[in-house]
Amino acid sequence: MQNLGIAMTGSGSAVPATFLDNQGLSGLVDTSDEWITSRTGIRQRRLAMATESVTTIGTAASLKALEMAQVEAKDLDLILLATSTPDDLFGSASQIQAELGASRAVAFDLTAACSGFVFGLVTAAQYIRTGVFQNVLLVGADILSRWVDWQDRRTCILFGDGAGAAVLQANKEDRLLGFEIKSDGSLNSCLKLAYTPQSQELTNGVSISKGNFGNVSMNGKEVYRFAVKRVPEVIDKALFRANLTVEQVDWLLLHQANQRILDAVAERLSIPSEKVISNVANYGNTSAASIPIALDEAVREGKIKPTDTIAASGFGAGLTWGAAIFKWGR
């Protein structure tokens, strides 16, 4: 098969209408707008109602991305859903496929937490570059409010719900210039949403594990240290693979976890603040959705223009982290 390039030709995003600002949050836990803003840069977060799901917001974001790319759902070959919070533990990508009417597309979930969109981009590229698929829909969607302890101020101030999507297509010129992806399971305990087993005896001498998933738990200091050290490193490696220097980057597009992390990474890379895309104040940490939501807003605002060079990096639970250097558009 002929090797092909890849281009990102459309973006879309969707967030719940319901929001909870810091003042409202201070009625739930002992905190304040000043305390949250000074430490995270977050001012509000969007929260999905009981009638909303990863499928509904993921589908809404997908429709916008398909419209921008001028691609029909029936022409999709693959749908990748990056999520850690599926509506169905067996996966939700196929539900989005059904909602879109993308009858030709194979669909599956990919779980890499806040790195999911970058890992998904790299995964999609392999299918396209080898000529297996021509049109891929990559969705990042999470509803973390389902798994947050709203009495734990260390975590409940951080997370929000949302979905973003991008259409990736075969292209004569390869717009994915370089990437690097990493994992370190020895640091898993720093950020996790763990299954808690409870023994249930079926018959004498035969017991099984019958438990539930708990809430998000995080060691904020360790995650901050990890991100500030590892993210600049992985971006440098991706830039090396792309044969580019940091000065040639038009936009730094990081996972929107915390404004202090965004600032620290930009400083270590000597990237000026005007090149840093940030919407963490409005949405908080939306996990796999954060990069595509920020990308879509910047594209629709006219900030990101065709052929602009973007250094994107995701980092989070696993622990996982990665970077992709790509040009926007065909």
Side-chain angles (χ1 to χ4, degrees):
M1 292 183 179
Q2 180 187 4
N3 284 330
L4 298 168
I6 179 175
M8 191 177 296
T9 59
S11 65
S13 59
V15 295
T18 303
F19 70 90
L20 180 64
D21 61 18
N22 292 344
Q23 188 172 354
L25 196 55
S26 66
L28 295 175
V29 291
D30 180 19
T31 189
S32 68
D33 177 58
E34 190 279 330
W35 193 91
I36 298 170
T37 304
S38 63
R39 286 162 177 78
T40 70
I42 299 167
R43 296 189 179 278
Q44 66 177 34
R45 66 284 299 144
R46 300 297 182 98
L47 302 178
M49 296 187 297
T51 55
E52 295 173 298
S53 65
V54 166
T55 300
T56 60
I57 61 175
T59 300
S62 298
L63 288 169
K64 293 176 183 177
L66 289 167
E67 181 182 27
M68 183 186 290
Q70 297 183 315
V71 171
E72 298 287 335
K74 64 180 176 60
D75 294 324
L76 289 173
D77 302 304
L78 170 66
I79 298 172
L80 279 176
L81 171 62
T83 188
S84 302
T85 58
D87 303 324
D88 184 329
L89 205 54
F90 290 155
S92 292
S94 57
Q95 293 170 275
I96 292 176
Q97 179 229 24
E99 289 295 319
L100 292 173
S103 56
R104 285 182 54 244
V106 63
F108 62 88
D109 289 22
L110 181 153
T111 303
C114 304
S115 306
F117 190 81
V118 170
F119 279 39
L121 173 58
V122 171
T123 301
Q126 310 317 308
Y127 288 107
I128 293 174
R129 283 174 168 174
T130 54
V132 177
F133 296 137
Q134 301 288 303
N135 300 310
V136 178
L137 174 66
L138 172 59
V139 186
D142 272 301
I143 297 182
L144 286 166
S145 59
R146 294 169 170 171
W147 302 106
V148 167
D149 178 357
W150 290 96
Q151 301 305 310
D152 177 11
R153 77 168 186 171
R154 295 169 300 176
T155 55
C156 74
I157 65 171
L158 299 173
F159 298 106
D161 305 333
V167 175
L168 311 168
Q169 295 185 271
N171 198 57
K172 288 182 180 178
E173 182 181 343
D174 199 346
R175 299 295 197 174
L176 177 58
L177 308 177
F179 66 84
E180 183 83 6
I181 52 178
K182 297 281 190 178
S183 300
D184 185 354
S186 69
L187 298 173
N188 174 260
S189 61
C190 294
L191 178 54
K192 62 182 182 178
L193 202 175
Y195 174 81
T196 304
Q198 293 178 345
S199 180
Q200 178 182 329
E201 187 174 65
L202 297 182
T203 63
N204 188 29
V206 178
S207 295
I208 60 166
S209 167
K210 194 76 172 178
N212 293 293
F213 288 92
N215 293 312
V216 176
S217 66
M218 184 177 72
N219 183 328
K221 288 182 180 178
E222 286 301 317
V223 172
Y224 179 85
R225 284 196 202 101
F226 147 75
V228 170
K229 180 182 180 182
R230 296 300 184 190
V231 172
E233 288 178 355
V234 82
I235 291 172
D236 272 338
K237 287 180 179 178
L239 284 168
F240 176 79
R241 294 186 186 282
N243 197 27
L244 293 175
T245 65
V246 73
E247 289 77 22
Q248 292 172 284
V249 171
D250 294 305
W251 301 103
L252 179 64
L253 175 58
L254 300 179
H255 164 52
Q256 305 289 300
N258 182 314
Q259 187 62 45
R260 289 172 62 206
I261 293 176
L262 271 62
D263 294 342
V265 171
E267 184 178 350
R268 291 204 176 191
L269 290 169
S270 299
I271 292 178
S273 59
E274 59 267 21
K275 287 187 174 184
V276 180
I277 294 171
S278 173
N279 65 2
V280 69
N282 297 326
Y283 304 111
N285 181 342
T286 57
S287 192
S290 79
I291 289 176
I293 290 173
L295 172 70
D296 181 53
E297 286 193 343
V299 168
R300 291 178 189 273
E301 289 168 6
K303 273 186 175 180
I304 293 177
K305 296 178 173 59
T307 73
D308 277 1
T309 300
I310 299 164
S313 180
F315 51 90
L319 295 178
T320 59
W321 67 105
I325 315 300
F326 64 93
K327 287 182 179 290
W328 170 254
R330 287 184 171 85

